[in-house]
Amino acid sequence: MRILKALVNSLVSGVFFSLLLALLIYDLNISLNFKISSLAQFTLFSAFSYGLVVSAICFFIYLIFQFFFDKKIKLAFISPSFLTISFSFLILLFLTIFRTNYRHFYTIFNPETRTLLRSQIIFLLVAAVLGLITFYLFHFYRKSALFFIVYFALFWAAIFLVFLQRLNYPLLLTPSKVAHFEARDIDKKITILGLDGLSFDFIIPFISAGKLPNFSVLVDNGSWGKLVNFTPNEPIILNNSINTGKFPFKHRQISSHSYRLLFCQEEIEVVPRYIFFRQLTRPGFLEILPREKPSQPVKDIWKIFEDNRISYLRRDWPYEEKEVKPSPKAERLFLQFYEDLQDEASDIFAFAKEAFFLDFEREAKASEEKDQQNPQFFYFLLNGLNIVETYFYKYSFPELIGDIEQEEINKFGFVIEKYYMFYDQILGRLLASMKEDELLIVYSSHGIEPLPLWKRFVEWILGNEDVSAYHENAPDGVILFYGKGIARGKNIEGMRIIDIAPTLLYYLGLPVGRDMDGIVKSSVFQEDFTTENPVFYISSYEEISIKAPS
C-alpha cells in the first residue's frame, strides 16, 4: 500500500510539472490567445511525455531515500509533505528550463512581456522557497498541519498570479492613423551578397595568406566589421529582422513551421528548447507542419521599395530548389577546387558536393536574371558555406575538437578554405560588373563556432556524429561595404543586423522609421557623404501611405 501511495503522489507531482510546461508553451507562443481548454490540452500532452518521466523520477527518489535512510516513511494518498518537497524541487527544475528558454527567445518578447515573464519567475521562486521552508518547519521544528495549510494557500495564490501574467500579455496594436508620403526618384544601385557562415576567423587568415584577393579588396578599400545578431538564430527570424530593422517582437515572423501536439487541437509556432522537445516527433507525440507565410504586421524594405518604384531582384531563403543536377560547368569548377577529392565517396564529403552544386546553380541563375532585368536593387543569398562548416569545422580546428585522426585532417583540412576561394571567385565577378554608382554589401547574419562536448554527445546519440560546428548561440557574422561614398579601410564596430535596413534606406535617400530598433550606421560612409545627406525620419512606415507623384 505504501508503494501505491508513493506512486499516486509521484503522479500528482508529474501532473504539476506538466502544468508548468504547458505554461512555458503558452509563454513562448506570443500570438496565442490564452484559453483554459488549450491549457488543459497542453497539460495533457506534457503529462503523457514529460510528466510520466518526472513521475518515475519522483518515485525512484522516494525509494532510494527510503532505502538509504532505513526507515519507513508514512504517506497519505495525497501527502502534503511529499507534494511540498516535490513541488518545490520541480519548480526549481522548471525555472532552470524557463530561464534558458527566456534567454534564448528573449528577442521575441517586447518590454511589457519581459516584465510579465520576470514576474512569473519571482512568483515561482517564492513558491519554491516557501515549500522548502514549510517542509523544514514541519519536520524539524513542529509537526503542525497549520504549516501546510498556510503554505498551500500561498502556493496556489502564487500559481494563480503566475498564470495571470500570461493572461495579461499585450495585444498587437495596429496603426491608428495613416499619413501620405510622396514617392521619391532613386538613382542609386545596390547589390547585396549574403553568404551564410562567413567568419573573420577564416577570412583574415586566408586574406593574409593571399588566398582571397577579392575579399582583400573589400577590406582594404571599404568598411567592414563583425555583424552582431541574436537568438533565436533561425533564417526566417534573422531575415525578417534584416528586412525590417526590427526585433522579432515587432515583425512577429518567428517560425517557418507550425507544430501540432498530441491531444491538442490548436497549432503553435514555437516549442521549448533544451528539453529535446522536437525529438517527440519520433514517438509521434509532435507533428511538424509546413506553415503558410503569415501576414506581415510591419512593412519591410521590399514593400518600401515597391511603394517608391525601386526595381529589385530578390533571391534568398527560402529557396525554391532543394537539389539540382550539376551542369558540366559546375562539375568542372568543382574539380578545379577539389581535384584531390574527386574520387572521395564518403557520406560527409557528399554534403560539400551538394552544397557546392546548389550554390553554383543558384548564383548562375540569379546572375542571369540580374543581367536580363537590370534591377536597382539586387539581392541573393547562398548558404553552402554554412553547411560545409557544420561538418568540416573540426578538420580546420582539430585542437578545439580533439580525437581526430591526422589522416582525416590531411584529407579534409582544406575543404572550408577551398569553399571560401569559391565564394571569392563569385565576389570577383560582382566586383568586375559593378557600376560607378553601385554599392556592394557582402554579409553573413551569423558566424560559426565549435560544438561543445555535451552538444557533440547529443548529436552522436541522434546519429549526427559528423556535425562539429553550429551557430545556435548567435556568434557574430560579417559585413563588408564597398563602393562610392564608403569609407576606405574602416573597421566598423558594433553593427547589428537590425542596423542594415535603416542604413540602406539612408543611403538611398529614404526616411528612416523611428520605430525601427536599428539605427543608421553612418560610420560606414565618408564624411562628405554624411554631410551632404542628413538622416530624415518618419514615425513609422506603418503609419504612412506612399503615393506616386502626381
Side-chain angles (χ1 to χ4, degrees):
M1 184 63 70
R2 187 170 58 252
I3 296 298
L4 179 60
K5 291 178 180 179
L7 183 59
V8 170
N9 283 279
S10 297
L11 289 172
V12 172
S13 300
V15 171
F16 172 69
F17 188 76
S18 301
L19 179 65
L20 295 178
L21 285 183
L23 170 67
L24 178 59
I25 293 172
Y26 249 122
D27 281 345
L28 297 179
N29 286 273
I30 57 177
S31 301
L32 203 60
N33 293 327
F34 190 84
K35 299 176 184 176
I36 297 297
S37 59
S38 295
L39 177 65
Q41 292 173 3
F42 293 158
T43 303
L44 182 62
F45 164 81
S46 300
F48 275 87
S49 48
Y50 298 95
L52 289 176
V53 175
V54 167
S55 297
I57 293 173
C58 290
F59 183 71
F60 181 73
I61 291 175
Y62 168 82
L63 294 180
I64 294 295
F65 183 85
Q66 183 171 255
F67 175 80
F68 280 102
F69 281 82
D70 195 25
K71 65 178 182 178
K72 296 180 179 179
I73 302 174
K74 294 182 179 180
L75 285 180
F77 273 107
I78 300 296
S79 169
S81 183
F82 187 109
L83 297 180
T84 298
I85 194 66
S86 66
F87 283 7
S88 296
F89 280 108
L90 288 175
I91 288 175
L92 294 176
L93 171 62
F94 174 75
L95 284 176
T96 303
I97 298 170
F98 187 101
R99 179 62 178 169
T100 53
N101 276 274
Y102 173 75
R103 293 177 62 183
H104 183 81
F105 291 103
Y106 184 81
T107 56
I108 74 173
F109 306 122
N110 63 22
E112 295 85 355
T113 303
R114 293 170 193 164
T115 299
L116 294 172
L117 292 173
R118 286 193 291 267
S119 297
Q120 284 185 341
I121 293 175
I122 292 172
F123 291 135
L124 285 170
L125 187 59
V126 168
V129 172
L130 280 176
L132 296 175
I133 293 174
T134 300
F135 186 85
Y136 174 82
L137 291 175
F138 180 82
H139 287 278
F140 300 99
Y141 180 67
R142 188 194 321 178
K143 293 185 180 296
S144 172
L146 181 61
F147 290 132
F148 290 122
I149 294 173
V150 173
Y151 163 69
F152 279 108
L154 295 174
F155 172 82
W156 289 114
I159 296 301
F160 173 78
L161 291 174
V162 166
F163 280 89
L164 185 62
Q165 308 312 302
R166 178 56 181 86
L167 192 62
N168 290 332
Y169 262 28
L171 300 175
L172 180 62
L173 301 178
T174 55
S176 57
K177 59 179 180 180
V178 176
H180 296 289
F181 180 81
E182 190 171 284
R184 299 187 180 186
D185 291 328
I186 307 297
D187 58 0
K188 296 185 176 72
K189 299 187 69 173
I190 299 177
T191 293
I192 295 184
L193 172 60
L195 303 174
D196 273 352
L198 284 183
S199 172
F200 282 119
D201 292 341
F202 290 102
I203 291 176
I204 299 302
F206 292 161
I207 286 179
S208 300
K211 296 176 179 178
L212 301 180
N214 296 301
F215 276 98
S216 181
V217 169
L218 267 61
V219 170
D220 293 339
N221 300 285
S223 293
W224 54 276
K226 292 183 177 181
L227 189 61
V228 181
N229 66 351
F230 51 78
T231 59
N233 201 248
E234 298 180 11
I236 187 171
I237 297 176
L238 298 183
N239 285 3
N240 277 283
S241 287
I242 289 171
N243 295 337
T244 62
K246 298 179 179 181
F247 283 121
F249 69 80
K250 286 185 179 177
H251 65 67
R252 301 179 83 87
Q253 307 297 302
I254 58 177
S255 178
S256 56
H257 298 89
S258 293
Y259 302 90
R260 182 179 292 125
L261 312 180
L262 187 66
F263 308 123
C264 302
Q265 297 178 345
E266 198 151 19
E267 295 179 5
I268 59 176
E269 295 178 277
V270 180
V271 296
R273 296 290 300 264
Y274 309 110
I275 55 174
F276 303 102
F277 204 97
R278 294 194 185 188
Q279 300 307 315
L280 293 175
T281 55
R282 301 191 178 200
F285 280 46
L286 176 68
E287 184 179 5
I288 303 178
L289 305 170
R291 187 164 182 254
E292 294 184 4
K293 186 177 181 180
S295 60
Q296 181 88 334
V298 299
K299 290 183 181 179
D300 57 20
I301 57 173
W302 309 110
K303 176 59 177 172
I304 296 171
F305 290 167
E306 287 177 5
D307 291 344
N308 282 279
R309 300 175 302 172
I310 298 175
S311 60
Y312 67 83
L313 175 62
R314 176 188 180 189
R315 292 293 176 262
D316 63 342
W317 185 93
Y319 301 104
E320 294 179 0
E321 69 283 351
K322 302 301 180 183
E323 57 182 32
V324 297
K325 182 179 180 180
S327 64
K329 186 177 180 180
E331 290 181 331
R332 287 195 299 271
L333 186 63
F334 183 79
L335 288 179
Q336 177 183 322
F337 287 106
Y338 296 107
E339 183 178 3
D340 293 342
L341 294 173
Q342 58 180 310
D343 297 323
E344 179 63 36
S346 61
D347 291 339
I348 189 173
F349 192 63
F351 291 114
K353 293 181 68 174
E354 183 179 2
F356 186 98
F357 292 139
L358 279 170
D359 275 354
F360 178 90
E361 298 299 340
R362 286 166 179 164
E363 187 272 332
K365 182 178 179 181
S367 297
E368 182 181 356
E369 290 178 287
K370 178 192 178 185
D371 293 340
Q372 293 173 351
Q373 300 180 25
N374 191 29
Q376 290 177 259
F377 195 107
F378 175 50
Y379 172 43
F380 72 101
L381 176 67
L382 303 177
N383 72 333
L385 176 62
N386 186 54
I387 296 171
V388 169
E389 287 176 331
T390 297
Y391 292 97
F392 291 88
Y393 188 94
K394 57 187 175 185
Y395 302 115
S396 294
F397 296 101
E399 68 278 6
L400 300 179
I401 305 296
D403 194 28
I404 301 181
E405 296 180 5
Q406 187 60 45
E407 182 182 354
E408 294 290 294
I409 296 173
N410 295 339
K411 182 191 296 185
F412 297 127
F414 64 88
V415 170
I416 293 178
E417 175 187 310
K418 295 293 186 180
Y419 215 96
Y420 268 88
M421 294 170 66
F422 166 49
Y423 275 0
D424 189 76
Q425 190 178 97
I426 293 174
L427 178 58
R429 287 196 291 272
L430 286 176
L431 287 172
S433 64
M434 276 186 67
K435 304 296 189 293
E436 184 179 354
D437 61 344
E438 188 172 353
L439 171 66
L440 174 63
I441 301 174
V442 179
Y443 86 97
S444 172
S445 60
H446 61 80
I448 198 78
E449 59 187 2
L451 245 61
L453 180 61
W454 72 269
K455 187 75 172 177
R456 297 204 301 271
F457 179 70
V458 171
E459 294 294 345
W460 177 77
I461 292 176
L462 298 177
N464 303 321
E465 62 275 5
D466 289 328
V467 173
S468 60
Y470 72 152
H471 56 86
E472 290 182 10
N473 293 328
D476 291 339
V478 166
I479 191 160
L480 305 103
F481 292 83
Y482 176 80
K484 186 177 180 181
I486 299 299
R488 293 171 59 90
K490 181 72 173 292
N491 187 358
I492 315 164
E493 294 185 0
M495 186 163 190
R496 305 166 297 171
I497 64 172
I498 54 174
D499 296 333
I500 293 178
T503 301
L504 289 177
L505 293 175
Y506 164 70
Y507 175 77
L508 292 171
L510 296 172
V512 177
R514 292 189 181 276
D515 64 334
M516 290 181 175
D517 299 303
I519 61 172
V520 175
K521 206 66 176 176
S522 56
S523 59
V524 167
F525 305 99
Q526 295 175 357
E527 186 175 347
D528 56 351
F529 182 91
T530 57
T531 301
E532 296 174 3
N533 298 276
V535 183
F536 294 101
Y537 290 98
I538 57 175
S539 59
S540 172
Y541 271 97
E542 283 72 62
E543 295 180 358
I544 68 168
S545 175
I546 301 176
K547 302 292 185 181
S550 55

